[in-house]
């Protein structure tokens, strides 16, 4: 029987980090072999399972990322763009597959992942849920079917702790809509309206971000045409869907050939 892949979790103390630790430990499909936190964090040296509230797992939280990756097969990373680029470098050096759920990455930061993907598999997605990725496919098809008489607006809502806007998922839907229309999102993106902005430009893809309370994640893709509207919607009520999707991506990426992949590849859509 093939040994279960060993997974390292970055940002272990964060909400997603803790959820990932629990999901991996309870899955019966993988082993938690490392948990990383920033230097000086009060979790350093603690058992990752005990710190996450599920009992001892025999894995101490560390700030030595290179040591944590040694012997692992996959690292799952929901941190911040600068940290993700550092983990990408270390993962490439160690030959460890890298699953990235980090949002807020700029185009330059995303482009900077390419050299590392020559040495290991990188799975990056703005959202790891099955439903979201299905909706992205539908968004692409609807955008291709409806012409510019239909304005496209991506409306997203998240909890008040979220630091980036638009969300990675909203941008994912925007990219899907742009692909469906055969345009580049950066050329048609409208991300801010305040004051006298003038009429909406035909063909633009707009973004609206809502932040409040404990909203896990809600996304609407609105196609507003003359006399009718088409609305595609996804509502997340449990953050566990992202951890389960990330675990699925990690299992898929383990042993995969170097390259850049996304959840569409993972799910075979």
């Amino acid at each position: 029987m093939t040994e279960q892949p060993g997974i390292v979790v970055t940002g272990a103390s964060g909400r997603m980090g803790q959820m990932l630790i629990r999901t991996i430990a309870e899955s019966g499909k993988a082993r938690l072999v490392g948990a990383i936190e920033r230097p000086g964090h009060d979790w350093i040296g603690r058992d990752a399972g005990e710190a996450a509230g599920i009992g001892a797992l025999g894995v101490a939280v560390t700030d030595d990322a290179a040591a944590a990756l040694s012997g692992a097969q996959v690292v799952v990373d929901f941190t911040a763009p600068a940290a993700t680029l550092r983990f990408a470098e270390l993962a490439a050096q160690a030959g460890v597959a890298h699953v990235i759920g980090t949002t807020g990455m700029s185009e330059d930061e995303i482009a900077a992942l390419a050299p590392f993907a020559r040495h290991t598999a990188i799975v990056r997605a703005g959202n790891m849920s099955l439903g979201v990725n299905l909706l992205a496919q539908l968004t692409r098809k609807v955008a291709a079917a409806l012409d510019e008489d239909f304005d496209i607006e991506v409306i997203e809502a998240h909890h008040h702790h979220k630091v980036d806007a638009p969300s990675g998922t909203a941008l994912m839907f925007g990219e899907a809509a742009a692909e469906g229309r055969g345009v580049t999102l950066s050329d048609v993106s409208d991300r801010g309206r305040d004051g006298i902005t003038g009429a909406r430009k035909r063909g633009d893809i707009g973004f609206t971000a809502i932040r409040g309370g404990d909203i896990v994640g809600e996304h609407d893709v609105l196609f507003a045409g003359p006399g009718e509207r088409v609305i595609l919607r996804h509502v997340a009520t449990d953050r566990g869907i992202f951890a389960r999707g990330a675990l699925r991506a990690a299992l898929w990426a383990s042993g995969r050939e170097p390259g850049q992949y996304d959840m569409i590849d993972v799910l075979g859509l």
Side-chain angles (χ1 to χ4, degrees), residues 17-28:
Q18 294 186 52
M19 182 71 72
L20 285 163
I21 289 169
R22 292 192 290 269
T23 300
I24 293 165
E26 295 166 0
S27 71

Side-chain angles (χ1 to χ4, degrees), residues 10-11 36 65 69 75 77 79 82-92 98:
T10 67
I36 301 170
L69 292 175
V75 56
D77 178 16
T79 54
T84 289
L85 289 176
R86 177 57 179 157
F87 290 132
E89 180 181 10
L90 293 173
H98 191 184

Side-chain angles (χ1 to χ4, degrees), residues 111-189:
L113 294 171
F116 306 126
R118 291 198 289 267
H119 302 282
T120 194
I122 295 178
V123 179
R124 189 188 67 83
N127 193 298
M128 298 283 179
S129 97
L130 172 60
V132 160
N133 284 277
L134 287 171
L135 195 62
Q137 293 289 75
L138 290 172
T139 296
R140 188 176 292 106
K141 291 183 177 181
V142 173
L146 300 177
D147 63 20
E148 291 184 352
D149 285 341
F150 283 78
D151 297 318
I152 302 175
E153 190 82 9
V154 182
I155 306 156
E156 54 103 342
H158 284 87
H159 52 86
H160 57 214
H161 295 293
K162 188 166 180 63
V163 298
D164 58 307
S167 70
T169 305
L171 292 173
M172 179 177 165
F173 289 140
E175 290 284 1
E179 289 172 13
R181 288 241 167 121
V183 297
T184 301
L185 180 60
S186 60
D187 293 337
V188 297
S189 179

Side-chain angles (χ1 to χ4, degrees), residues 148-155 177 181 185 188-193 196-208 221-225:
E148 291 184 352
D149 285 341
F150 283 78
D151 297 318
I152 302 175
E153 190 82 9
V154 182
I155 306 156
R181 288 241 167 121
L185 180 60
V188 297
S189 179
D190 180 3
R191 300 195 188 184
R193 304 187 187 100
I196 306 301
T197 62
R200 181 187 178 110
K201 183 179 177 183
R202 181 178 171 86
D204 273 1
I205 297 174
F207 292 87
T208 301
V221 184
L222 168 67
F223 296 83

